[in-house]
Amino acid sequence: MPIIDVQHLKKSFGDNEVLTDITFQVEKNDVIAIIGPSGSGKSTMLRSLIHLEEINGGTISIDGEAFVENGVYKKVDTIKRVTSKMGMVFQQFNLFPHLTVKGNLQLAPKMLGVKEDVEAHTKDLLMKVGLSSKENAYPKSLSGGQQQRVAIARALMMNPDILLFDEPTSALDPELTGEVLSVMKELAEEHMTMIVVTHEMGFARSVANKVVFMDGGEIVEAGTPEELFGNPQHERTKAFLAKNLK
Ligand SMILES: Nc1ncnc2c1ncn2[C@@H]1O[C@H](COP(=O)(O)OP(=O)(O)O)[C@@H](O)[C@H]1O
Ligand SMILES: [Mg+2]
C-alpha cells in the first residue's frame, strides 16, 4: 500500500485552474524529487498534501486513510490526525523570530501536550543537524543554512512518517546549500520518506529514487533519475532539462 495516494487532484484559485488532474503514489522510503518551471503548481501540490491549501476535487490518502475524498473533506479531527503524519520545510524557513532554537523545536510538542522526552529529543535532533551549540540562539543570529537546519529539526520533532520540502535551498546563498542538502541526504539514507521540490538537479539525480516533472499544473512525466534525466520522453521535459542541466 502506498504511504501517499493522490487521485485526480484538482485545485483552482478563482478561475485559474493550477492543478488539473494530478494522480501519483509515494511508497514508504521513497525520496521523490519534484522539478518543473516556476508557476507549474509544485508548491500548491505540496501544500495541498498537508492541508495548507483546500483542493477542489480528488482524493488524498495518507497511510491508507483519506482526509479528502472526491473533493469532500473529512471531519477536522480526522484531517488533523492524518496530516500530522507529515512535516514540512519551507523555502523561507518560517522560524518564529521571538523564540530561541529550542523554543522553535518545542512549540508544537508543547501545544499538543507532549511531555515525555521532549528535552532529549530536542538535543538529539539538534545534534543530528549539527547545531547542538545553538540551542539558546535566536534565529536572526544564525545563517540561512543554520536556520534551515533548525527548521528541519523542528519538522522532525513530531516524528513524522513523511517530510515535505518546498525548495529548501532556494533562499540560501550558494555556499550554504551544501550543509542543508547533506542533512537531507542523511535523512534519505536513514530511509525517511521525503518529497522534495527542488531546483538542485544534482540532488534530484543522486539522492532521489524517483523524479517527477511538472509543467502547467500537471505531471508531464515521472521515472527513475536515470530515466528522467537520461532518456526524457516528452518535449517539455527535454526543454526544461536543456535549460536547467547546465
Ligand atoms: N494563494 C494563491 N492565490 C492565487 N493564485 C495562486 C496562489 N498560490 C499560487 N497561485 C498560482 O498558482 C500557480 C501555481 O503556483 P505554485 O504552486 O506556487 O507554482 P510553483 O511552486 O511550481 O512555482 C501560479 O499561477 C500561481 O500564481
Ligand atoms: Mg513554488
Side-chain angles (χ1 to χ4, degrees):
M1 183 183 67
I3 193 161
I4 301 179
D5 187 11
V6 175
Q7 296 286 337
H8 305 298
L9 187 164
K10 291 180 178 56
K11 168 68 181 173
S12 300
F13 291 107
D15 293 339
N16 184 17
E17 185 169 70
V18 302
L19 297 173
T20 52
D21 184 5
I22 301 273
T23 292
F24 72 97
Q25 285 83 38
V26 177
E27 302 296 333
K28 202 170 181 321
N29 307 338
D30 269 349
V31 177
I32 299 196
I34 300 183
I35 61 173
S38 178
S40 57
K42 305 180 301 293
S43 294
T44 305
M45 214 277 295
L46 217 55
R47 292 168 58 82
S48 298
L49 292 181
I50 198 163
H51 195 231
L52 290 172
E53 302 289 352
E54 294 233 325
I55 63 175
N56 304 103
T59 300
I60 305 175
S61 307
I62 309 298
D63 215 1
E65 185 173 9
F67 69 88
V68 52
E69 193 162 13
N70 298 319
V72 179
Y73 279 85
K74 307 284 180 186
K75 288 183 300 197
V76 174
D77 52 341
T78 304
I79 298 172
K80 280 192 180 154
R81 179 169 47 74
V82 174
T83 57
S84 72
K85 294 175 182 177
M86 293 173 280
M88 185 150 170
V89 174
F90 301 88
Q91 182 175 341
Q92 297 294 342
F93 328 135
N94 295 5
L95 298 177
F96 294 100
H98 62 290
L99 294 177
T100 62
V101 165
K102 178 173 159 171
N104 269 279
L105 264 65
Q106 296 187 350
L107 185 65
K110 282 190 174 154
M111 275 173 34
L112 292 165
V114 178
K115 293 252 166 19
E116 62 278 12
D117 298 333
V118 171
E119 286 296 327
H121 202 193
T122 303
K123 287 195 162 47
D124 286 350
L125 289 175
L126 287 178
M127 189 183 302
K128 186 182 193 73
V129 300
L131 292 171
S132 292
S133 63
K134 300 293 186 187
E135 190 172 310
N136 296 310
Y138 283 87
K140 68 173 187 305
S141 72
L142 304 177
S143 73
Q146 291 173 328
Q147 289 187 55
Q148 192 61 300
R149 287 186 282 143
V150 172
I152 293 172
R154 180 177 63 175
L156 290 167
M157 276 298 283
M158 299 303 291
N159 298 317
D161 296 327
I162 304 157
L163 272 187
L164 310 177
F165 295 83
D166 192 0
E167 298 200 27
T169 59
S170 293
L172 300 177
D173 293 334
E175 72 272 18
L176 300 179
T177 61
E179 63 193 61
V180 172
L181 292 174
S182 71
V183 168
M184 293 168 63
K185 183 162 187 247
E186 200 174 301
L187 290 170
E189 283 164 358
E190 293 167 6
H191 306 297
M192 174 61 87
T193 305
M194 298 160 59
I195 305 182
V196 184
V197 173
T198 188
H199 292 296
E200 294 287 340
M201 296 299 148
F203 179 86
R205 202 170 199 150
S206 63
V207 180
N209 65 321
K210 290 181 196 157
V211 184
V212 172
F213 173 64
M214 283 182 70
D215 190 21
E218 58 183 12
I219 293 177
V220 175
E221 150 163 31
T224 65
E226 294 72 29
E227 288 165 348
L228 207 108
F229 291 114
N231 189 21
Q233 299 297 303
H234 291 262
E235 285 310 318
R236 284 194 280 172
T237 318
K238 289 177 193 170
F240 177 80
L241 292 177
K243 257 196 231 161
N244 289 279
L245 275 185
K246 283 178 189 140

